[in-house]
Amino acid sequence: VALSLTPRDRLDVARALLPLLSAEETDRGVRDNAAGAAVRVLAADGFAAAKDPDAGAALLAATLAALPIAEDFEEAAATYGGLVSVFADPGAFAVLARWAPATVSLFARVVGDEYEKAKKGWPGKDGASKTVDAGTIARMAAAIDALTKADANVAEAAAGMTREQAAAVAEARAGNIPRP
């Protein structure tokens, strides 16, 4: 179902999501779901909220602060994949460029963490694997490359990846993320 919101609706939804994205929300599943919803709002209607300097900026900043996903990995593809799409849109990127380095750092952290979990076969707290799918990991690795080429500040953030993160991104780029 396509999401179509008026500018006022976008602001209302963004305002409603902000408290759910904050550190004061102690239920990580709620925060993960709110992050997924926030990215969907940013991407709706041709990235209209992302292109709104007020709504997009506040919502993206709060979303990045709420990530990485900790509990509800069913939100991973929509959340991380949505962020890739937001930053791939030239109009959204123009408004949100100052968060591109933080987004690349997040992507590097997630790719690195997923690589380590997959190598160890991490079971998650309920015994089931909680991982980000390989396609989303590949999209994040590609986004790191694209954003690094597009912006010097992003290149600086990418250069700050740990050795393990850089190796995991290289593996993801080559399609070699092991699955638990």
Side-chain angles (χ1 to χ4, degrees):
V1 173
L3 183 62
S4 181
L5 302 171
T6 67
R8 177 159 174 82
D9 290 339
R10 283 191 290 275
L11 289 173
D12 289 345
V13 171
R15 284 187 194 111
L17 288 170
L18 291 176
L20 300 175
L21 293 165
S22 78
E24 293 175 16
E25 175 54 65
T26 58
D27 184 330
R28 284 299 309 182
V30 169
R31 286 178 70 193
D32 293 349
N33 278 286
V39 172
R40 287 175 181 94
V41 169
L42 288 167
D45 297 327
F47 306 100
K51 295 173 185 175
D52 179 314
D54 297 321
L59 195 54
L60 180 62
T63 301
L64 290 175
L67 294 171
I69 288 175
E71 290 292 327
D72 189 354
F73 281 81
E74 290 179 10
E75 290 292 332
T79 303
Y80 299 132
L83 284 172
V84 168
S85 296
V86 166
F87 279 95
D89 180 83
F93 182 83
V95 173
L96 302 175
R98 66 179 160 168
W99 285 282
T103 302
V104 163
S105 294
L106 169 71
F107 288 169
R109 177 179 173 187
V110 171
V111 171
D113 289 352
E114 290 303 307
Y115 186 76
E116 287 305 310
K117 285 193 301 190
K119 285 190 341 190
K120 294 176 185 175
W122 184 75
K125 79 176 188 181
D126 64 358
S129 281
K130 293 188 173 193
T131 60
V132 177
D133 68 272
T136 301
I137 292 169
R139 287 187 71 199
M140 287 188 286
I144 290 169
D145 293 343
L147 290 169
T148 298
K149 291 175 186 167
D151 186 279
N153 292 324
V154 174
E156 187 176 321
M161 282 189 275
T162 67
R163 188 174 338 164
E164 293 81 11
Q165 289 170 342
V169 169
E171 291 294 321
R173 190 180 298 121
N176 296 328
I177 293 292
R179 301 313 302 162

